[in-house]
Amino acid sequence: MTATRIAITGLGKIALDQHVPAITGNSDFELVAIVSGRGATVNGLPSFPDLGTLLAALPEVEAVALCTPPTGRLALAITALRAGKHVLLEKPPSATLAEADVLAAVAAETGQVVFATWHSRFNPAVEEARRLLKGRRLRRLHIDWREDVRRWHPGQAWIWQPGGFGVFDPGINALSIATAITPSPLHVSASRLEIAGNHQTPIGAELTFDTPDALPGSRLTAVFDWRKEGEQSWTIEAETESGVHLTLTEGGRCLAVDGVPTIEAPSREYPAIYERFAALLAAGASDYDLRPLQLVADAFLLGERRGVADFDAG
Ligand code: NAP
């Protein structure tokens, strides 16, 4: 089989750190071009200022990886799909749920493959947690996702703007794991959002979830915080009715069962994403799960807002 010719749109942090090496390391793909508003490129590849220009110049491109911020993704996806290109979307697939539905409708109309990636799910520990929780009822679920925004998002103004998701930009990764591993569907039942006076999006959030099969007295909660200095926390704990206690740490890379480490896998989320994309392309199938985005949207819909001190994002 010949390699799928793919272009990257948006040559920012995640494209450079992960997409470029994952694509160039996978013989099912050939990275052929870049779209960059500021004219950036990598590996000497041709760079185009916008997607339309690239598609006109290089009709042989078969797929596009969209690595731009969520706002504006829909227009790019529609451009690519209507030009007959398959689309891989960085998370989240879009800025709103209605946009996500439009995107799915256009993909269906064109017959192209669309892959809404959730990178944190591509850890073996996440699949093992899902397997261990299957068919069980939860007594407790707690997400503790606290990181230093200055360290992980330097200079990214868009995360503080409407549509930028704020602390849900990393928080949606936890929700992508939670929706993958919980044995029955989660919904948000309460939400508290902390919003700094000088920003539009939350810097902190606390969520409570419910599920149709909740045990009486169960507690399903999440804390997201972008002001955590020192040790960072990307942890999900789950306890079942029978007392089995799972702890996923390092963003889903490590799993302990009843305190005993069972999986500590090196991170290969993005190589696994492109392996999955190759399989989807071969099958002509899409993968488009909106549950993490639904939970974030509902956190905003139900959110009790509290103003907090201005925050210097650096
Ligand atoms: P970033 O460093 O700010 O890069 C985004 C790139 O998109 C920019 O460099 C720019 O590239 C392009 N762009 C187009 N329109 C833009 C706009 N209005 N504002 C800013 N940039 C714009 O962001 P990122 O961290 O790579 O995140 C991009 C997406 O990947 C987000 O959805 C994020 O949630 C997701 N993601 C990020 C990480 C991470 O660790 N950073 C991890 C996983 C997923 P050009 O100048 O080349 O056009």
Side-chain angles (χ1 to χ4, degrees):
M1 209 177 87
T2 57
T4 298
R5 290 178 291 268
I6 188 167
I8 288 177
T9 298
L11 198 62
K13 184 171 185 338
I14 200 62
L16 286 166
D17 288 357
Q18 299 291 350
H19 289 261
V20 169
I23 294 170
T24 54
N26 185 327
S27 59
D28 285 327
F29 294 95
E30 182 189 357
L31 183 59
V32 294
I34 302 292
V35 174
S36 171
R38 73 204 139 91
T41 192
V42 67
N43 300 348
L45 290 169
S47 176
F48 297 85
D50 59 76
L51 185 57
T53 307
L54 176 144
L55 296 175
L58 299 178
E60 65 271 27
V61 167
E62 296 160 279
V64 178
L66 299 183
C67 304
T68 53
T71 300
R73 281 253 194 88
L74 175 63
L76 294 169
I78 291 175
T79 299
L81 290 166
R82 291 216 164 129
K85 314 303 174 189
H86 305 295
V87 172
L88 179 147
L89 299 153
E90 244 307 342
K91 62 86 195 170
S94 55
T96 70
L97 286 172
E99 283 187 358
D101 281 347
V102 170
L103 203 160
V106 174
E109 158 201 311
T110 62
Q112 301 306 121
V113 169
V114 63
F115 181 19
T117 64
W118 299 107
H119 63 88
S120 297
R121 287 182 177 172
F122 286 85
N123 283 294
V126 172
E127 173 54 21
E128 178 62 0
R130 187 198 64 76
R131 195 186 66 76
L132 291 169
L133 293 176
K134 193 171 180 200
R136 299 176 189 260
R137 295 173 81 194
L138 289 179
R139 182 175 304 288
R140 182 169 171 269
L141 175 80
H142 184 65
I143 296 170
D144 187 86
W145 222 254
R146 290 178 296 143
E147 64 175 47
D148 182 350
V149 65
R150 295 188 182 108
R151 188 160 141 196
W152 302 105
H153 299 272
Q156 294 183 346
W158 61 267
I159 55 177
W160 300 106
Q161 298 299 323
F165 286 63
V167 77
F168 289 106
D169 177 75
I172 203 167
N173 299 330
L175 298 173
S176 76
I177 296 175
T179 48
I181 66 172
T182 47
S184 76
L186 291 176
H187 65 270
V188 176
S189 56
S191 164
R192 293 176 60 190
L193 307 175
E194 292 183 312
I195 303 180
N198 58 334
H199 296 302
Q200 298 287 325
T201 54
I203 191 164
E206 289 179 17
L207 305 184
T208 306
F209 306 99
D210 206 347
T211 170
D213 299 319
L215 285 170
S218 61
R219 268 193 70 67
L220 313 176
T221 51
V223 173
F224 305 103
D225 199 327
W226 246 350
R227 292 156 295 194
K228 178 81 166 68
E229 294 179 357
E231 196 180 341
Q232 309 286 282
S233 172
W234 298 288
T235 300
I236 300 178
E237 288 182 81
E239 195 180 322
T240 67
E241 185 175 21
S242 55
V244 177
H245 190 150
L246 306 187
T247 311
L248 277 162
T249 52
E250 302 297 325
R253 201 169 57 71
C254 305
L255 175 68
V257 181
D258 294 333
V260 180
T262 55
I263 296 184
E264 281 192 29
S267 178
R268 60 177 311 277
E269 294 174 356
Y270 283 81
I273 280 176
Y274 279 92
E275 286 160 18
R276 171 93 178 125
F277 192 35
L280 290 170
L281 293 172
S286 289
D287 179 344
Y288 199 69
D289 178 15
L290 297 182
R291 287 175 297 166
L293 183 62
Q294 287 167 344
L295 293 182
V296 171
D298 288 354
F300 278 93
L301 280 171
L302 294 178
E304 180 189 314
R305 268 101 173 142
R306 190 164 76 86
V308 295
D310 284 7
F311 182 84
D312 178 3

